[in-house]
């Protein structure tokens, strides 16, 4: 398992945090996610044999937010 920090633009309230968290959690292989609006980032733990950062970023983008 690896832990990566993802910068995410566009989160403005707790609803956004929940949406981003849900989007990332829905990716197969993601074990844990902690979204922080103030820091504009998400700390994601995932199995690198199952998924990768690009897949996780795509899920964030699909939810309407901009991963950097
Ligand atoms: Cu919001």
């Amino acid at each position: 398992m690896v832990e990566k920090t993802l910068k995410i633009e566009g989160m403005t309230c707790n609803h956004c945090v929940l949406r981003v968290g849900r989007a990332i959690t829905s990716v197969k292989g993601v074990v844990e996610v902690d979204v922080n609006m103030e820091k504009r980032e998400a700390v994601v733990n995932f199995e690198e044999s199952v998924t990768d950062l690009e897949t996780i970023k795509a899920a964030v983008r699909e939810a309407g937010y901009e991963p950097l």
Side-chain angles (χ1 to χ4, degrees):
M1 192 165 79
V2 289
E3 180 175 291
K4 297 276 185 193
T5 300
L6 195 60
K7 288 282 174 192
I8 301 171
E9 295 290 347
M11 295 189 288
T12 54
C13 70
N14 266 329
H15 181 74
C16 299
V17 172
L18 286 174
R19 281 186 66 177
V20 168
R22 229 180 277 133
I24 294 175
T25 303
S26 75
V27 176
K28 194 169 176 281
V30 170
V31 178
E32 202 183 331
V33 60
D34 183 37
V35 183
N36 187 304
M37 188 174 65
E38 286 74 29
K39 292 183 180 171
R40 291 189 283 173
E41 67 184 28
V43 179
V44 190
N45 289 274
F46 60 94
E47 298 292 350
E48 66 264 64
S49 58
V50 181
T51 190
D52 54 30
L53 212 49
E54 281 315 308
T55 306
I56 294 165
K57 283 182 180 180
V60 171
R61 227 171 269 130
E62 216 165 280
Y65 301 90
E66 196 50 52
L68 304 178

